[in-house]
Amino acid sequence: NASMKKFLLSLFLFSCMLLGAARTFAQSADSLQVVVDSLSVKVTKLEHDLAYLKINTDISTLNTKIEILSLNVKDVFSDFQIAVLSNNKKGVKAQLRVLHEAYKERLEIIKREIDSLQELVNSNRETFSFLENMQILTGVMLVLNSYDILEKQMPVVGEALDK
């Protein structure tokens, strides 16, 4: 009888320990799920921020490329005007035409980059807030306006070199 009581007491204590361990495990699993959910939210926010930063960086980079190319095209035009004024048109014309052709090729590359940027913006439009979309669209409009001005400069320089 005494051994039976010891056995039942041992069984009861073992059951309590198992129940406590199961409860601790369940709480640990719940805590782990909270951590996973928190990390998931943080990863989603980081992905959003990365997409937004990439688009803004692409806009800034394109704007810089357009500004540099625009200055280069203006330099070709200025150099040609100086050559005309100094009566050295023939010696400089061939060199400037080569530069102008290279700049036209660069302009085409920039156009493809603008097309890619617009695709990226359109594919991420749902991801961003209204304010973020407005900031992005303002940047894109600035790029398109700068590109349009540059695109109109190119034939003017080309016509001048052809005369």
Side-chain angles (χ1 to χ4, degrees):
N1 207 3
S3 65
M4 182 70 144
K5 283 183 181 179
K6 277 185 176 180
F7 175 72
L8 287 175
L9 182 60
S10 296
L11 186 59
F12 176 74
L13 289 175
F14 183 70
S15 297
C16 287
M17 285 175 37
L18 279 179
L19 184 60
R23 188 174 299 141
T24 301
F25 178 75
Q27 288 172 345
S28 294
D30 288 344
S31 297
L32 186 60
Q33 187 60 46
V34 168
V35 170
V36 167
D37 290 345
S38 173
L39 288 175
S40 178
V41 167
K42 288 177 183 177
V43 166
T44 301
K45 173 138 179 43
L46 286 173
E47 287 173 339
H48 166 269
D49 292 349
L50 180 64
Y52 184 73
L53 286 173
K54 169 140 180 41
I55 289 174
N56 277 325
T57 301
D58 288 354
I59 288 170
S60 180
T61 301
L62 271 172
N63 240 349
T64 301
K65 285 180 179 181
I66 291 169
E67 287 175 21
I68 290 169
L69 186 55
S70 183
L71 290 172
N72 289 340
V73 169
K74 287 176 186 173
D75 284 349
V76 166
F77 193 68
S78 296
D79 289 350
F80 185 66
Q81 287 176 323
I82 291 169
V84 168
L85 293 173
S86 64
N87 231 2
N88 187 20
K89 191 165 114 176
K90 286 187 180 182
V92 175
K93 199 173 187 179
Q95 293 172 341
L96 294 178
R97 189 171 277 123
V98 168
L99 275 177
H100 184 256
E101 287 302 314
Y103 295 157
K104 280 171 46 177
E105 289 174 18
R106 253 195 237 161
L107 187 68
E108 285 301 314
I109 292 169
I110 289 173
K111 175 63 175 143
R112 288 192 296 271
E113 290 176 1
I114 289 172
D115 292 343
S116 294
L117 173 66
Q118 287 179 309
E119 287 176 26
L120 182 63
V121 168
N122 288 334
S123 69
N124 282 291
R125 189 166 285 172
E126 303 293 320
T127 308
F128 302 124
S129 69
F130 177 77
L131 180 60
E132 289 169 329
N133 274 314
M134 292 306 295
Q135 290 171 336
I136 288 170
L137 291 177
T138 300
V140 170
M141 293 303 292
L142 182 63
V143 166
L144 291 173
N145 187 48
S146 298
Y147 178 81
D148 187 52
I149 292 168
L150 177 58
E151 192 177 39
K152 289 176 181 169
Q153 287 176 344
M154 293 298 280
V156 171
V157 173
E159 288 173 17
L161 291 173
D162 288 341
K163 289 183 180 180

